Amino acid sequence: MGLVVKDLFKKYGDKTVVDHISFRMDKPGVYALLGTNGAGKTTSIRMILDMLDKNGGEVIWNDGPLNFDTCNIGYLAEERGLYPKYSLMDQIKYFGTLRGVSEKELDKKIKYWAERLKVEEYLYPQYKDAVTGNKINEHGDFIDENGKVFLTTEKRKRVVKKKIKPQSPDQLSKGNQQKIQFLIAMLSDPDLIVLDEPFSGLDPVNTDILKNVVREQIDAGKYIIMSSHQMEVVEEFCTDITILSRSKAVVQGNLNDIKKSYGRVNLNLKCEENVDKYINEVGAEIVSEKENEYKIKVKNDEQSQKLLKLLVDNKVNVIRFDLSELSLHEIFVKEVGADEK
Ligand SMILES: Nc1ncnc2c1ncn2[C@@H]1O[C@H](COP(=O)(O)OP(=O)(O)OP(=O)(O)O)[C@@H](O)[C@H]1O
């Protein structure tokens, strides 16, 4: 069981845009496909999903070729894919049916995901009191932003309902369109979830909503491929990565192993006095310093231990001596930055 991507190759005219990319997912989890703009992530994803012809390579899902017939796929594309003028609900139902969700199931699933992603107000009729403009439920009770009743119809003198129509995609913000497309991707309860820039355009609250859903899907044993420029978010989820640069894989493998291979080279040091001279003596690099609190780049463990010994021997009061590995962001910049110059 799993996904195998072998030797993917794509050319447009003379230009190679995906140059022999291979990776595999033997178990559920998140695989991150990272890279600079134009590195070939979206093209790779489309070839993996059999939405774009390849010039070479193959993609295998559970011992057979991968496509929308052989695998229950949920795909969130990078670009907006909704028809601007048609009703959102009609489109969601249309795409849900295309993905094989039965009509009976569809309404329940849409309702569930609309609640989870907090997009109900764009999909279902909303009611307002025509006199006060206050939000009311279908019985005429006053409700707050979370739909909680705070004044019942019995206690109110009169009820004047005004129905607000659900919206069409062109009336939605970029982030809400993104959430609707994510909702569509999740309708079939997919086994393979492919998210191309899932967090782009989302505010921190909605980013958290989506992160929670991703966590849940990981726990449910789903295979997830994620492409993103937001390294901190990807780092939270992924176990394995490929970093693409100019169509080629420049870094690939298990993220922990990759981090280990660079060593613990980030040192946060806090002392009770200025220790520039000791840091310079061992040849480490001061990245920043504020009130005797240093961010330092060391070459290796030997250099950091030498510094610690020097501080202790000279009776410096050390408040913090904290070594850590490179972040994914730093690895990305290190590997791809040189290529881009
Ligand atoms: N239909 C096409 N015809 C010609 N070139 C194309 C076509 N589609 C993509 N490309 C080129 O292929 C390369 C890879 O594009 P792709 O969209 O896969 O990059 P990406 O890594 O997803 O970038 P981004 O992070 O900016 O979305 C780019 O140089 C792009 O210009």
Side-chain angles (χ1 to χ4, degrees):
M1 177 110 184
L3 172 76
V4 181
V5 176
K6 267 193 215 165
D7 227 13
L8 275 192
F9 187 71
K10 180 78 185 171
K11 263 182 149 185
Y12 283 113
D14 288 343
K15 192 177 166 199
T16 298
V17 295
V18 174
D19 198 353
H20 300 285
I21 303 299
S22 302
F23 67 89
R24 58 189 299 146
M25 292 180 78
D26 294 321
K27 53 180 175 25
V30 176
Y31 197 102
L33 218 45
L34 311 170
T36 45
N37 291 124
K41 302 178 293 296
T42 300
T43 309
S44 299
I45 285 174
R46 295 219 174 108
M47 288 195 288
I48 290 170
L49 297 181
D50 202 29
M51 297 167 74
L52 180 68
D53 287 340
K54 321 173 201 10
N55 294 117
E58 61 178 329
V59 181
I60 297 163
W61 173 255
N62 296 342
D63 304 325
L66 173 73
N67 55 51
F68 278 83
D69 295 325
T70 59
C71 177
N72 182 356
I73 298 168
Y75 173 45
L76 174 70
E78 186 185 21
E79 69 279 5
R80 304 288 156 263
L82 298 166
Y83 301 103
K85 298 286 176 200
Y86 292 104
S87 125
L88 276 171
M89 188 55 98
D90 287 352
Q91 293 192 57
I92 292 171
K93 286 190 170 169
Y94 171 72
F95 287 118
T97 313
L98 274 189
R99 298 298 302 120
V101 186
S102 71
E103 248 179 73
K104 212 171 130 213
E105 280 289 296
L106 206 48
D107 287 338
K108 265 197 283 177
K109 296 213 162 174
I110 295 171
K111 185 98 186 128
Y112 170 80
W113 283 109
E115 275 175 32
R116 282 299 308 275
L117 299 170
K118 300 215 183 309
V119 288
E120 296 145 287
E121 62 185 291
Y122 312 117
L123 301 183
Y124 299 101
Q126 305 288 304
Y127 300 95
K128 265 189 178 180
D129 182 287
V131 177
T132 60
N134 204 87
K135 259 184 133 175
I136 52 178
N137 63 18
E138 65 269 37
H139 310 298
D141 304 325
F142 276 178
I143 52 172
D144 65 17
E145 280 311 306
N146 298 316
K148 231 176 140 193
V149 174
F150 66 88
L151 186 62
T152 59
T153 322
E154 294 137 43
K155 297 209 174 125
R156 293 179 56 207
K157 292 215 169 60
R158 61 187 188 133
V159 177
V160 190
K161 281 187 197 174
K162 184 178 159 201
K163 192 168 158 183
I164 305 163
K165 272 197 197 157
Q167 301 191 10
S168 58
D170 59 352
Q171 293 172 293
L172 288 188
S173 70
K174 190 168 165 256
N176 282 324
Q177 286 188 44
Q178 176 89 343
K179 288 203 286 178
I180 298 286
Q181 285 188 215
F182 184 72
L183 178 153
I184 291 169
M186 298 308 294
L187 284 178
S188 63
D189 194 14
D191 298 318
L192 175 65
I193 303 168
V194 179
L195 306 173
D196 199 350
E197 284 293 343
F199 301 100
S200 79
L202 294 187
D203 65 33
V205 174
N206 284 309
T207 300
D208 278 354
I209 291 176
L210 210 68
K211 277 186 184 178
N212 286 335
V213 174
V214 171
R215 264 183 220 110
E216 250 175 47
Q217 296 299 311
I218 296 170
D219 292 345
K222 302 304 175 80
Y223 287 74
I224 302 171
I225 299 176
M226 192 185 284
S227 153
S228 178
H229 293 290
Q230 286 152 289
M231 298 297 139
E232 323 73 51
V233 182
V234 175
E235 198 168 359
E236 262 185 73
F237 299 118
C238 69
T239 47
D240 298 272
I241 63 166
T242 288
I243 299 181
L244 298 177
S245 178
R246 297 175 187 265
S247 79
K248 288 189 168 63
V250 289
V251 177
Q252 193 162 56
N254 175 271
L255 183 57
N256 277 337
D257 293 344
I258 292 168
K259 283 187 166 191
K260 261 189 213 148
S261 72
Y262 289 94
R264 292 187 304 160
V265 292
N266 286 335
L267 172 62
N268 283 325
L269 174 67
K270 192 172 180 186
C271 298
E272 280 194 346
E273 62 189 88
N274 182 294
V275 292
D276 285 15
K277 63 176 175 186
Y278 303 119
I279 299 169
N280 291 332
E281 196 177 321
V282 298
E285 180 198 341
I286 300 174
V287 179
S288 67
E289 187 270 332
K290 200 179 98 193
E291 293 174 343
N292 305 330
E293 192 166 350
Y294 295 84
K295 283 196 189 309
I296 300 168
K297 281 266 177 254
V298 292
K299 289 199 176 66
N300 46 39
D301 280 356
E302 196 188 332
Q303 194 175 54
S304 57
Q305 292 314 312
K306 207 166 147 189
L307 175 59
L308 183 60
K309 184 167 184 311
L310 201 56
L311 295 171
V312 174
D313 288 350
N314 286 281
K315 302 200 172 11
V316 173
N317 235 339
V318 178
I319 299 163
R320 187 185 311 134
F321 189 93
D322 182 10
L323 276 168
S324 61
E325 293 165 333
L326 291 181
S327 65
L328 181 55
H329 177 101
E330 287 173 306
I331 293 172
F332 185 93
V333 172
K334 200 174 161 76
E335 293 298 335
V336 167
D339 253 26
E340 289 295 299
K341 277 174 198 157

